[in-house]
Amino acid sequence: MENRLVSVIMPTYNTGRILSESIDSILCQTYTDFELIITDDNSDDAETLAILDRYGRLDKRIKILYLEENHGAGYARNKAIEAARGRYIAFCDSDDRWFPDKLERQMAFIASKGCCLIYSSYIICNQDGQTAGIFISPRIVTYGGMKRDDKIGCLTALYDTSFFGKFYFPLLRKRQDWAMFIMLLQKCRIAYGMKEPLAYYRLRSDSLSSNKRSLVKFNINVYHKILGFSKAKSYLYFGAVFFPTYLFKTIKRKVDSYRYLSKLASTQ
């Protein structure tokens, strides 16, 4: 029998009450052939641990791994990928959510494309879960395009391990998702996107300010450590290629979000 199992990878660290929303969005999927592997990155929040214990006993499709030390999201995801039994790997962080038919629609899409990697657009929410915008994904992403800037929302990505096996996140403190998709696209060369949004990305104020401060450092790190560029070439590539591409993407996202919110308001 063909393996159609999807292994959903979820790292968590002190996410408290919003963790339940993320888990529920997986359990409510119309596509039911999945396992949810949650790796707790040494949380010390009692609410987070209580939620994990409750859900671990609630549904046999949930497997929870507990780390004895905090290592970061990339390491936590890798431990879950190691334990994954599914042919397909998908991702949902513990502060994000999926549409109920996300997996069903993506499994049909990846079958129709016969490809290794797919992704979709997603709704952007604020800390309270209120809609704040939208990211409309490009129709295709190539290896060359991915080098210029991250174009795939990790919470929407799904890949087929039957092509090149399991892919793991490099142990970078930040931007490890972008780095992993670069490495995957080095193999498969092209990924296909679905224009319709299938997930909700929670934009937290602490991560936003941190990303702004560390934008240059962590992106240059990807070029230097993952792609093997020299320090000089990494800085040059960042300034000449990444930053203009990132700026254009940011402007487009704001325009798309304005149009989406305006349309949403007109229907209410």
Side-chain angles (χ1 to χ4, degrees):
M1 182 180 293
E2 183 184 5
N3 181 4
R4 299 284 291 172
L5 180 69
V6 180
S7 295
V8 183
I9 308 303
M10 179 182 290
T12 186
Y13 175 70
N14 288 348
T15 44
R17 63 178 179 82
I18 59 176
L19 174 59
S20 295
E21 298 177 17
S22 298
I23 296 175
D24 286 339
S25 77
I26 308 300
L27 297 182
C28 290
Q29 289 296 300
T30 55
Y31 184 91
T32 58
D33 191 8
F34 68 84
E35 61 177 358
L36 171 59
I37 308 176
I38 306 172
T39 307
D40 180 70
D41 199 14
N42 197 229
S43 293
D44 55 14
D45 168 45
E47 185 176 15
T48 298
L49 296 174
I51 290 170
L52 291 175
D53 178 68
R54 176 164 58 87
Y55 277 100
R57 292 183 280 105
L58 178 69
D59 195 307
K60 64 181 181 180
R61 293 173 297 179
I62 299 176
K63 181 177 182 178
I64 302 175
L65 309 175
Y66 293 94
L67 301 184
E68 295 182 356
E69 295 180 13
N70 180 270
H71 292 279
Y75 184 93
R77 290 189 185 115
N78 286 347
K79 299 306 288 186
I81 294 171
E82 286 178 8
R85 297 181 297 111
R87 169 180 167 180
Y88 300 90
I89 305 289
F91 306 95
C92 184
D93 282 356
S94 57
D95 52 358
D96 299 327
R97 292 172 290 140
W98 285 357
F99 283 30
D101 60 350
K102 191 253 190 195
L103 281 184
E104 182 178 2
R105 296 174 72 177
Q106 284 198 307
M107 289 298 286
F109 185 70
I110 199 169
S112 70
K113 292 294 183 181
C115 62
C116 174
L117 174 64
I118 61 169
Y119 54 91
S120 78
S121 302
Y122 55 88
I123 304 297
I124 302 168
C125 299
N126 62 20
Q127 288 191 117
D128 299 321
Q130 299 170 328
T131 300
I134 190 171
F135 177 81
I136 299 177
S137 67
R139 185 177 62 85
I140 62 170
V141 173
T142 63
Y143 169 61
M146 199 63 172
K147 283 198 303 182
R148 298 185 189 100
D149 175 47
D150 187 5
K151 297 173 175 63
I152 297 176
C154 189
L155 75 163
T156 73
L158 182 146
Y159 76 89
D160 183 348
T161 64
S162 71
F163 282 81
F164 305 106
K166 292 180 179 180
F167 267 73
Y168 294 89
F169 289 79
L171 297 182
L172 305 174
R173 196 65 185 179
K174 294 193 177 184
R175 302 312 308 258
Q176 69 276 133
D177 50 347
W178 177 36
M180 192 275 279
F181 292 130
I182 288 176
M183 294 188 299
L184 182 51
L185 279 164
Q186 282 179 316
K187 294 287 188 179
C188 66
R189 309 307 295 182
I190 190 169
Y192 293 92
M194 303 175 70
K195 186 176 181 181
E196 56 266 49
L198 295 177
Y200 297 93
Y201 172 74
R202 191 185 299 266
L203 191 61
R204 295 194 290 176
S205 59
D206 54 349
S207 60
L208 178 63
S209 60
S210 177
N211 285 338
K212 284 182 176 179
R213 291 193 300 268
S214 59
L215 178 64
V216 176
K217 173 184 174 183
F218 289 108
N219 285 285
I220 286 175
N221 216 22
V222 171
Y223 291 127
H224 182 55
K225 292 190 174 181
I226 303 304
L227 292 173
F229 291 179
S230 67
K231 276 289 187 180
K233 184 178 179 180
S234 297
Y235 276 94
L236 181 62
Y237 202 90
F238 175 85
V241 179
F242 175 93
F243 189 73
T245 306
Y246 173 80
L247 188 61
F248 175 79
K249 182 180 77 173
T250 301
I251 294 171
K252 182 180 182 303
R253 187 183 69 234
K254 288 183 177 181
V255 172
D256 289 339
S257 294
Y258 175 78
R259 291 172 176 169
Y260 177 76
L261 293 172
S262 298
K263 184 178 180 180
L264 197 63
S266 68
T267 61
Q268 294 177 346

